[in-house]
């Protein structure tokens, strides 16, 4: 029998994955936090996905964390700061050797989870797809992108990758998933905090090249001391390319701040600064940026971690 995918976190990215898997005939179950959320879900009539302006609602089965069925494959699509606690809520149901796919941006949460559940097989995912919530259980597929998947221990290719292909989820296996995650983290560190502090779209950073250059220089040094030399190569050019390609967009951190939501700063710039400190590397531009960003967040009564 085909293994069911349990999806923890029915938000933007979790909804995008769950609906595509479900409509391809892959068994999927969404885990909702409370019976109130379960009632809201049934009232919404299912999980809606808007693609090219067209809404389709899919009756993806839902359950609570304390349901009885064992979990063999868990897709964790919560924010980085919620992921570990969310898994802990279903941990008694994880079978030995269960696969845990982690969709979180940044770094830090994945390692904490892999250490806490060593009997599970963690797969890290670096996603450049774009989705947002129009309403509860209504997801808009906003940007085409790609998903890189890989094991922290260079593990063998999982057999279920074909299910992603069948579901139209763009993917590739990455032998060097940590390099991919570090590269994305570095790009996010060079762009996202500045867009918050300057209250601007990504493209405006092209007029702040000296600031971007200083950050990219330190990020490149950090990647090299972390044995991620490949992720450091051409970083600044890539940051400028991304800022130009997404010139009219607001970064995800800027959107979080504008909507009064907690940011993932601790797993992005915070992680970069902590790692630099652990390696004894001085990164005054990055640390100064983190201090200014945290002061800004506190001033706006948002968590600074
Ligand atoms: P989101 O806020 O839209 O969704 C997260 C969901 O997790 C929410 O519905 C929340 O209620 C749920 N959740 C939290 N704790 C839970 C628990 N204990 N049990 C069950 N559900 C729980 O977030 P998102 O935008 O989908 O982002 C998820 C991750 O994917 C983040 O790390 C983000 O950076 C990354 N990411 C998102 C996008 C995107 O376009 N949205 C793209 C790339 C990467
Ligand atoms: O990933 C991004 C984000 O907004 O989080 C981009 C816009 C690519 C740059 O950091």
């Amino acid at each position: 029998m085909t293994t069911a995918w349990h999806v923890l976190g029915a938000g933007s990215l979790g909804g995008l994955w769950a609906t595509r898997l479900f409509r391809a005939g892959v068994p999927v179950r969404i885990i909702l936090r409370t019976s109130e959320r379960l009632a809201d879900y049934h009232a919404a009539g299912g999980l809606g996905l808007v693609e090219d302006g067209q809404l389709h609602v899919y009756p993806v089965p839902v359950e609570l964390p304390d349901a009885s069925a064992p979990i063999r494959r868990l897709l964790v699509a919560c924010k980085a700061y919620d992921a570990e606690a969310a898994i802990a809520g279903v941990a008694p149901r994880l079978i030995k050797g269960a696969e845990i796919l982690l969709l979180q941006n940044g770094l830090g949460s994945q390692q904490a989870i892999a250490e806490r559940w060593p009997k599970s097989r963690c797969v890290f995912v670096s996603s450049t797809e774009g989705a947002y919530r129009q309403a509860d259980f209504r997801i808009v597929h906003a940007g085409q992108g790609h998903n890189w998947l890989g094991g922290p221990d260079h593990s063998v290719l999982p057999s279920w990758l074909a299910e992603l292909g069948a579901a139209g989820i763009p993917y590739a296996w990455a032998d060097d998933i940590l390099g991919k995650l570090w590269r994305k983290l570095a790009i996010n560190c060079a762009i996202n905090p500045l867009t918050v502090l300057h209250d601007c779209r990504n493209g405006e950073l092209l007029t702040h090249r000296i600031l971007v250059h200083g950050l990219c220089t330190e990020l490149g040094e950090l990647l090299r001391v972390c044995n991620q030399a490949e992720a450091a190569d051409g970083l600044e050019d890539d940051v400028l390319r991304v800022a130009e390609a997404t010139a009219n967009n607001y970064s995800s951190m800027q959107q979080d701040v504008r909507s009064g939501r907690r940011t993932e700063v601790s797993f992005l710039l915070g992680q970069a600064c902590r790692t630099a400190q652990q390696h004894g590397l001085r990164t005054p531009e990055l640390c100064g940026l983190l201090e200014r960003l945290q002061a800004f967040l506190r001033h706006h009564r948002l968590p600074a971690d």
Side-chain angles (χ1 to χ4, degrees):
M1 209 180 83
T2 323
T3 299
W5 291 66
H6 283 87
V7 178
L8 195 51
S12 316
L13 212 51
L16 183 62
W17 279 61
T19 47
R20 290 181 296 185
L21 287 167
F22 177 81
R23 72 186 176 191
V26 176
V28 186
R29 301 192 69 81
I30 292 172
I31 303 173
L32 296 174
R33 248 186 284 205
T34 59
S35 32
E36 287 76 35
R37 293 279 294 157
L38 220 57
D40 291 346
Y41 179 81
H42 290 303
L47 191 54
L49 179 65
V50 179
E51 286 171 305
D52 302 321
Q54 293 286 323
L55 169 70
H56 290 280
V57 180
Y58 301 96
V60 185
V62 285
E63 64 186 35
L64 288 172
D66 63 359
S68 56
I71 297 176
R72 295 184 160 76
R73 186 171 305 137
L74 184 67
L75 178 72
V76 185
C78 306
K79 295 284 194 183
Y81 46 76
D82 280 332
E84 190 177 341
I87 299 173
V90 297
R93 296 174 56 195
L94 288 172
I95 63 154
K96 195 172 165 203
E99 292 158 316
I100 306 183
L101 279 83
L102 299 166
L103 289 183
Q104 288 61 48
N105 204 5
L107 279 162
S109 66
Q110 301 91 336
Q111 287 79 357
I113 289 162
E115 271 171 36
R116 183 158 168 190
W117 287 284
K119 292 190 181 127
S120 298
R121 179 187 178 191
C122 286
V123 174
F124 299 174
V125 185
S126 178
S127 179
T128 58
E129 291 200 276
Y132 66 87
R133 269 182 288 174
Q134 194 174 55
D136 241 8
F137 307 117
R138 291 290 178 270
I139 312 302
V140 179
H141 190 180
Q144 302 301 320
H146 198 72
N147 297 287
W148 294 98
L149 292 86
D153 48 4
H154 306 276
S155 42
V156 287
L157 263 66
S159 55
W160 44 259
L161 283 176
E163 291 182 5
L164 301 185
I169 298 175
Y171 77 93
W173 187 255
D175 286 330
D176 178 24
I177 189 65
L178 284 178
K180 299 269 183 233
L181 285 162
W182 267 115
R183 176 69 160 218
K184 183 152 192 279
L185 178 149
I187 294 172
N188 286 167
C189 286
I191 295 180
N192 299 15
L194 287 178
T195 61
V196 171
L197 294 173
H198 290 266
D199 190 19
C200 67
R201 295 175 199 259
N202 295 347
E204 202 180 308
L205 298 186
L206 298 167
T207 62
H208 296 284
R209 292 217 182 183
I210 295 172
L211 280 176
V212 172
H213 174 73
L215 293 173
C216 288
T217 303
E218 289 188 0
L219 286 163
E221 288 166 6
L222 173 62
L223 293 175
R224 287 191 183 89
V225 299
C226 293
N227 292 324
Q228 298 294 343
E230 220 176 294
D233 286 347
L235 176 64
E236 188 171 345
D237 286 346
D238 213 12
V239 166
L240 296 174
R241 184 193 58 76
V242 170
E244 203 168 326
T246 60
N248 284 324
N249 299 357
Y250 288 104
S251 76
S252 55
M253 191 178 272
Q254 160 80 332
Q255 289 178 40
D256 283 342
V257 169
R258 281 187 166 217
S259 317
R261 291 189 300 254
R262 181 176 175 184
T263 70
E264 295 184 300
V265 56
S266 188
F267 303 88
L268 296 166
L269 189 54
Q271 178 71 10
C273 292
R274 276 192 305 277
T275 309
Q277 204 177 16
Q278 282 157 13
H279 285 278
L281 179 72
R282 281 195 69 252
T283 52
E285 298 285 333
L286 291 171
C287 293
L289 182 64
L290 178 61
E291 275 171 28
R292 290 199 301 283
L293 180 64
Q294 289 179 321
F296 177 96
L297 294 173
R298 283 191 204 98
H299 182 73
H300 289 81
R301 301 192 185 289
L302 286 169
D305 63 350

